[in-house]
Amino acid sequence: MGALSTGVARADEPDRAALVNTFIGTKDDGNTFPGASAPFGKIQVSPIGSHYSGWRYDDPKIRGFGHSFISGAGCWEQGGQVSVLPVTGTIGPGGDFDTRNPKAFDHREYGARYTHEGEVGQAGYYRVRLTDYGGIDAEATAGVRAAAERYTFPAGVRQGHVLVNVGQANERHAVIGSAIEIVGDRTVESRVTTKSFCGGHQYTTWFRLEFDRPFQAHGVWGEAGGLPGARHNMEGEAKPNGAWLSFDTAAGRAVTLVSAISHVDAEGARNNLRSEGMDDGRLLGFDAMHERATRTWNEELASVRVTGASDDDATVFYTALYHALLQPMTGSDADGRYRGYDNRIHRADGWTYHEYLSLWDTYRSQNQLLALLRPRQARDIARSVLAVHEQGGWLPRWGYANFETNIMTGDPVTPFLVDLWRLGALEGRESQAYAALRENAFGEPPLNSRHAGRSGNARYLADGFVQYDRTVPSKGMDVDPHHGGSATLEYALADCSLAQMAKALGKPEDARVLLQRGGNWRKVWDPDVRDAETGFTGFPRPRIDDGSWYQPADDHYSPRSHHGFHEGTAWQYQWLVQQDVPGLAQAMHGREQALRRLDAFFAIDALRADPAAAARKDWVVGPYSYYNQFRYNPNNEPDLHAPWIYTLLGEPAKTATVVHAAQTLFTNAPNGVTGNDDLGTMSAWYLFSALGLYPVTPGTGQFVLHAPRFERVELDLGEGRTLRIQAPGAGDGKLRFVASASFDGQPQSRVWLDWEQLREGGELAFSLTGDAPAAAWGARAEDLPPAACATDPDTLRW
């Protein structure tokens, strides 16, 4: 996992691309990929192994280098699609690759062992040595729409081969159908139709691979074996399909190929390659593309400048920033064309269409980070979501390529878009966005729609809760009534966020109704539920169709049960009421009892004694251990905001304790991301935690403050604006508390800053202490933000 410096960083700037360690998150189901990508890149080049996500750090073999990856997703998907691998040996009857045997071209069989020694994974560049086939060095780099690979064969080998496998996407055999064609003596074109995320709807990707020199020989393989000299083949579902290209490696040991993809058509892939992989009609060299990729990443990463970080801390920070800037991926081709949710071809003129929208995850942190640091991309992402509504008839939940997967539950698109509106990314499109969001909040998609929308809305609009009914037929992976308890909480949070937008746009009646619905969390709050081990009473509990409380077969309902909650329990979901923390505390029998419950939830005494050990022992059970838990789950999204509930209750010192412990889970190692990174969500959470501000309540534009991790951070906010965060004494990895704060030289007694203050830049300065101050900063009721949707006007604040 060494770093390779290319010397393209400015003399007065560190080479931040080399600081990035792309192996972080490639183990313990972080599900990141180590290979090369550009910021928001359409194409990625990375190893394919046996892990369901495409790659895992300890996979025994590299089956090939794939060309399309999602970073950190929690379900199997394409994992690479076209798989390319350099090999040596003979291809023919009875040879190392016996053309009479179809299994000879199965990448599970011919995949190569490799070594981590000398392996490099940094922003825009990847290198590894394949120890099989005499030892072949493989390198990859990537632009937004085109990528390059260089394969250096061992000395003394007279002929090397490149295998292009289009019949196998990953371990789950996701390929529905494929076609491959060898064009001339330097080019391969292919078309692959695969199942999507978690095996959903199928879609097609077109590829073009162009080599820097002619191949000596070629052939294709299919269900019947290999055909030397053949140029094309088509195969159906889960059928072998691919091509081999043979090169004279005595004349030149290195073979370079440039690749491009499109979701539109073959001409889209050709045009993407011409526009980003060629110069004056000639293929760009690998070194030229690598230098450009490194320069691009150094420019991107230099928009956030950290002072006072250890080497490991700097790597963790910039790798998190790298992961947060990988998606949503570019969807439009170089000519602006993209395939919409109506399966027709549209054109993005003067803007970039983005796809792969994991909204249930990203609305909690990554979305706001992009709006803060990348306002232009945030505007394009917002416009892309509205394009989905225009073409598909409804807003997305988990948009994959050009269709809705219906993965996850609740209503994530509402806080996602409302936050983009609140942070300035919907300027000029406010009315269009509000109309789409209102339709989503007050209705349901037609029966012939692929979109699920708020699939529990009928009952929710009538009675204020989503019923828990696992027998409801699913037209996708997830349906809200399967998770009625958590869906109700998600809807209420979304309604409260939309109420802020309705009020600002002059829609008072909508605002009144939505504000009221923001209190629907009370409809699933059972004051009589008791946790047997801790003695706390009052928890969320799902209701069944007749309106009564859900009761398990053994008649003993426990708030540690996952029934009615998506990837969590009532213990984790009880905090998803950040729109009305005073009301929540009231339901928990008062502020002191709410704080005691938080202490138990976070194991606060253990955290104080040994933060790193307690975070691993008391919180983390496994990457998918969502159920039967009563502790904080840093592996998953529903309670990511929970550390700041302490601050909203007037105890910011305890927020600092929890955040400091959680940061120990992010390390400079392959297992250095806790749980799935979920398209940059966990990485963005870490970045906010290190910066000293967090977007707790959707739609409010409020960033709640806490002790930063570093002495100084500068963030470029676009249009020449810079936010400087100063925290003298930070940076040594020790727990610090806020003694006082100021913004632009004025005392900052409030525990939050509004977007209107942050967007103009300025200086946020913290005075830190190593001991929790007796008269704590942020303890006064008037220093806390008012509840966005208080169900009791007397409990706006303490």
Side-chain angles (χ1 to χ4, degrees):
M1 293 187 293
L4 181 73
S5 177
T6 62
V8 298
R10 280 174 20 200
D12 59 341
E13 289 280 358
D15 187 354
R16 293 181 175 88
L19 280 177
V20 169
N21 175 8
T22 62
F23 302 105
I24 292 176
T26 58
K27 194 172 180 180
D28 289 355
D29 294 281
N31 292 355
T32 61
F33 60 87
S37 177
F40 309 102
K42 174 187 281 285
I43 188 170
Q44 302 80 31
V45 181
S46 193
I48 301 172
S50 59
H51 192 254
Y52 69 86
S53 68
W55 180 252
R56 183 183 171 97
Y57 185 76
D58 51 9
D59 271 343
K61 287 185 176 183
I62 292 176
R63 296 176 175 180
F65 294 92
H67 295 74
S68 184
F69 290 83
I70 297 175
S71 181
C75 192
W76 68 274
E77 38 85 29
Q78 76 267 29
Q81 294 192 333
V82 171
S83 171
V84 175
L85 189 72
V87 299
T88 58
T90 58
I91 298 178
D96 300 285
F97 295 88
D98 189 344
T99 51
R100 300 169 303 184
N101 178 14
K103 290 187 177 180
F105 298 98
D106 184 333
H107 70 186
R108 292 171 299 184
E109 301 295 326
Y110 66 68
R113 289 170 294 182
Y114 63 99
T115 176
H116 287 304
E117 183 178 352
E119 189 180 23
V120 175
Q122 62 186 42
Y125 179 76
Y126 176 77
R127 182 181 70 200
V128 68
R129 168 158 288 192
L130 307 178
T131 53
D132 284 339
Y133 304 112
I136 301 172
D137 289 329
E139 299 171 273
T141 190
V144 174
R145 297 180 177 89
E149 294 142 80
R150 181 164 62 194
Y151 300 122
T152 303
F153 290 86
V157 173
R158 300 191 59 82
Q159 189 178 64
H161 318 283
V162 175
L163 307 182
V164 181
N165 188 330
V166 297
Q168 294 173 299
N170 64 10
E171 182 67 15
R172 298 298 185 97
H173 302 294
V175 175
I176 299 297
S178 60
I180 194 164
E181 182 174 2
I182 299 171
V183 181
D185 63 355
R186 293 172 182 254
T187 302
V188 175
E189 293 191 333
S190 67
R191 182 180 75 249
V192 180
T193 300
T194 56
K195 298 175 184 176
S196 76
F197 196 62
C198 296
H201 192 70
Q202 64 191 48
Y203 71 107
T204 300
T205 307
W206 285 263
F207 291 79
R208 182 176 174 91
L209 293 78
E210 194 161 329
F211 293 84
D212 66 338
R213 58 192 175 102
F215 30 81
Q216 282 184 319
H218 59 81
V220 301
W221 71 79
E223 191 174 10
L227 294 171
R231 287 188 171 269
H232 56 84
N233 191 46
M234 290 190 294
E235 292 289 357
E237 184 170 359
K239 301 296 183 183
N241 193 11
W244 71 85
L245 304 315
S246 302
F247 294 88
D248 180 357
T249 51
R253 291 171 55 196
V255 174
T256 296
L257 70 92
V258 176
S259 57
I261 71 174
S262 171
H263 290 148
V264 174
D265 54 23
E267 185 55 34
R270 296 172 193 139
N271 191 39
N272 288 339
L273 194 147
R274 286 192 294 265
S275 67
E276 297 193 23
M278 304 185 80
D279 185 21
D280 291 331
R282 299 182 61 183
L283 210 62
L284 280 176
F286 182 89
D287 290 332
M289 290 193 72
H290 175 205
E291 181 177 336
R292 186 170 66 184
T294 304
R295 183 170 58 250
T296 296
W297 271 114
N298 272 321
E299 292 171 355
E300 290 282 337
L301 298 171
S303 65
V304 183
R305 298 171 293 282
V306 174
T307 303
S310 67
D311 290 346
D312 276 349
D313 263 353
T315 289
V316 170
F317 184 90
Y318 281 107
T319 304
L321 182 57
Y322 164 84
H323 282 141
L325 295 177
L326 290 177
Q327 53 271 306
M329 293 186 281
T330 296
S332 47
D333 287 340
D335 59 4
R337 294 186 305 151
Y338 67 91
R339 188 173 296 274
Y341 276 55
D342 53 4
N343 207 33
R344 297 176 180 174
I345 308 305
H346 302 266
R347 189 180 299 273
D349 288 323
W351 63 288
T352 299
Y353 177 76
H354 288 263
E355 56 190 10
Y356 298 93
L357 301 163
S358 178
L359 304 183
W360 189 82
D361 307 294
T362 58
Y363 92 78
R364 305 167 201 263
S365 60
Q366 193 251 6
N367 183 44
Q368 298 90 330
L369 186 79
L370 294 186
L372 187 70
L373 300 179
R374 296 293 182 275
R376 180 179 63 81
Q377 282 84 0
R379 287 192 291 271
D380 287 352
I381 291 164
R383 189 168 179 177
S384 301
V385 173
L386 295 180
V388 171
H389 179 264
E390 293 169 0
Q391 298 149 17
W394 211 261
L395 288 168
R397 176 190 291 166
W398 211 124
Y400 190 103
N402 66 305
F403 58 91
E404 174 56 51
T405 66
N406 295 317
I407 302 298
M408 309 313 293
T409 53
D411 180 23
V413 72
T414 295
F416 183 91
L417 268 186
V418 171
D419 267 339
L420 288 180
W421 158 77
R422 190 69 177 76
L423 302 182
L426 278 169
E427 189 172 348
R429 291 185 167 78
E430 297 92 340
S431 296
Q432 178 190 3
Y434 183 78
L437 288 166
R438 190 188 191 284
E439 177 186 50
N440 178 75
F442 286 84
E444 291 183 273
L447 290 176
N448 63 350
S449 172
R450 178 166 176 79
H451 296 252
R454 288 190 178 190
S455 56
N457 231 10
R459 188 59 180 270
Y460 180 80
L461 295 177
D463 298 317
F465 66 89
V466 180
Q467 77 280 12
Y468 175 41
D469 185 355
R470 299 184 71 185
T471 69
V472 174
S474 171
K475 61 176 177 178
M477 172 80 176
D478 294 307
V479 170
D480 292 341
H482 291 182
H483 311 278
S486 58
T488 301
L489 297 170
E490 298 269 14
Y491 285 13
L493 182 65
D495 282 336
C496 182
S497 70
L498 188 56
Q500 317 304 311
M501 188 176 183
K503 182 178 179 181
L505 296 183
K507 302 181 183 300
E509 181 54 28
D510 280 1
R512 183 191 66 78
V513 172
L514 290 164
L515 283 168
Q516 184 180 31
R517 281 163 42 177
N520 279 342
W521 62 271
R522 291 184 180 272
K523 297 293 181 73
V524 291
W525 189 271
D526 185 351
D528 297 325
V529 170
R530 183 177 182 273
D531 183 76
E533 294 185 41
T534 63
F536 292 111
T537 58
F539 285 91
R541 182 178 185 178
R543 293 182 182 270
I544 61 175
D545 193 55
D546 64 6
S548 62
W549 297 114
Y550 162 71
Q551 190 74 3
D554 63 4
D555 289 333
H556 295 290
Y557 177 76
S558 168
R560 304 185 187 202
S561 165
H562 69 274
H563 288 286
F565 297 94
H566 197 168
E567 296 187 357
T569 68
W571 263 97
Q572 280 124 28
Y573 271 99
Q574 66 183 317
W575 311 110
L576 198 72
V577 189
Q578 56 265 53
Q579 74 272 26
D580 186 12
V581 170
L584 177 64
Q586 186 184 65
M588 293 177 174
H589 312 293
R591 174 177 176 271
E592 295 306 318
Q593 285 297 312
L595 288 168
R596 285 188 59 243
R597 193 181 298 211
L598 278 169
D599 290 346
F601 182 64
F602 286 112
I604 197 73
D605 291 336
L607 293 187
R608 286 169 171 158
D610 191 339
R616 294 281 179 188
K617 178 177 179 292
D618 291 289
W619 295 351
V620 178
V621 179
Y624 297 109
S625 297
Y626 304 138
Y627 309 118
N628 303 315
Q629 301 296 318
F630 79 106
R631 298 285 198 202
Y632 178 52
N633 184 355
N635 294 344
N636 206 25
E637 280 73 15
D639 55 3
L640 284 184
H641 65 286
W644 289 270
I645 300 296
Y646 269 129
T647 299
L648 299 184
L649 288 169
E651 290 277 3
K654 287 185 176 179
T655 293
T657 300
V658 172
V659 169
H660 174 255
Q663 288 171 346
T664 68
L665 301 172
F666 293 82
T667 62
N668 185 14
N671 64 347
V673 173
T674 172
N676 309 143
D677 198 39
D678 284 321
L679 286 82
T681 297
M682 295 299 182
S683 289
W685 184 97
Y686 173 80
L687 292 169
F688 276 125
S689 82
L691 293 174
L693 62 165
Y694 192 82
V696 177
T697 308
T700 64
Q702 296 167 351
F703 289 79
V704 176
L705 307 179
H706 61 274
R709 187 171 179 85
F710 305 115
E711 284 186 334
R712 180 182 175 91
V713 181
E714 294 181 335
L715 301 94
D716 292 337
L717 307 182
E719 300 179 6
R721 296 187 293 259
T722 300
L723 174 65
R724 293 173 294 279
I725 302 173
Q726 303 264 28
D732 59 3
K734 295 181 180 178
L735 175 60
R736 293 285 190 272
F737 305 97
V738 177
S740 63
S742 65
F743 187 71
D744 279 347
Q746 298 299 312
Q748 176 70 30
S749 60
R750 298 193 320 178
V751 299
W752 84 98
L753 287 172
D754 284 317
W755 170 246
E756 284 73 17
Q757 297 168 281
L758 284 176
R759 71 183 305 173
E760 299 304 320
E763 182 168 290
L764 172 62
F766 292 93
S767 175
L768 302 181
T769 176
D771 299 311
W777 169 84
R780 299 183 308 167
E782 57 266 34
D783 294 334
L784 308 179
C789 286
T791 49
D792 183 347
D794 294 329
T795 59
L796 280 170
R797 288 191 180 96
W798 302 116

